[in-house]
Amino acid sequence: QVQLMESGGGSVQAGESLRLSCRATGYTYSENCLAWFRQVPGKEREGVASIDTDNGQKTYANSVKGRFTIYKDETEKTLNLQMNNLKPEDSAVYYCRCLADERWVPWTQGIQVTVSE
């Protein structure tokens, strides 16, 4: 059974950093984790960052440009989101989005990131 293993959330103060990691397990022949989303209560889930694994192009939400970096570790087969200079408005539940065996893996419960003043 395909699962997503997400890690790295937590509580920090404004200006600090966190790194989120995501890895798909249980797939048969292929995996492709390619985006991070986030959601706060009462709002829709929004895209934070994505990576085109064909050409390496990265796309970021305007609110995180210059502070967040999405990258893949091909050795560990993880999709990472380095989040620097965190702000309280970055507080949310973060989700990884992956294809496994060419099918979207169901959303997990996500990982909480809390940034205090």
Side-chain angles (χ1 to χ4, degrees), residues 8 11 18-21 33 37 39 44 47 51 63 68 70 75 77-78 82 84 92 94-95 109:
S11 297
L18 282 173
R19 185 180 68 189
L20 307 181
S21 292
C33 292
F37 288 74
Q39 188 171 25
E44 291 189 355
I51 184 167
S63 58
F68 290 13
I70 187 172
T75 301
K77 292 196 179 297
T78 56
Q82 178 66 41
N84 296 330
Y94 284 72
Y95 304 87
Q109 61 183 12

Side-chain angles (χ1 to χ4, degrees), residues 1-6 22-37 50-54 72 74 77-79 95-108:
Q1 181 178 358
V2 178
Q3 290 186 317
L4 292 183
M5 309 296 289
E6 297 161 321
C22 169
R23 185 168 61 93
T25 63
Y27 56 91
T28 300
Y29 57 87
S30 70
E31 60 80 30
N32 189 11
C33 292
L34 44 74
W36 286 94
F37 288 74
S50 63
I51 184 167
D52 186 326
T53 52
D54 287 334
K72 300 199 78 169
E74 296 297 343
K77 292 196 179 297
T78 56
L79 178 70
Y95 304 87
C96 178
R97 195 68 168 137
C98 299
L99 286 161
D101 298 331
E102 300 178 8
R103 302 180 70 174
W104 290 110
V105 181
W107 296 102
T108 67

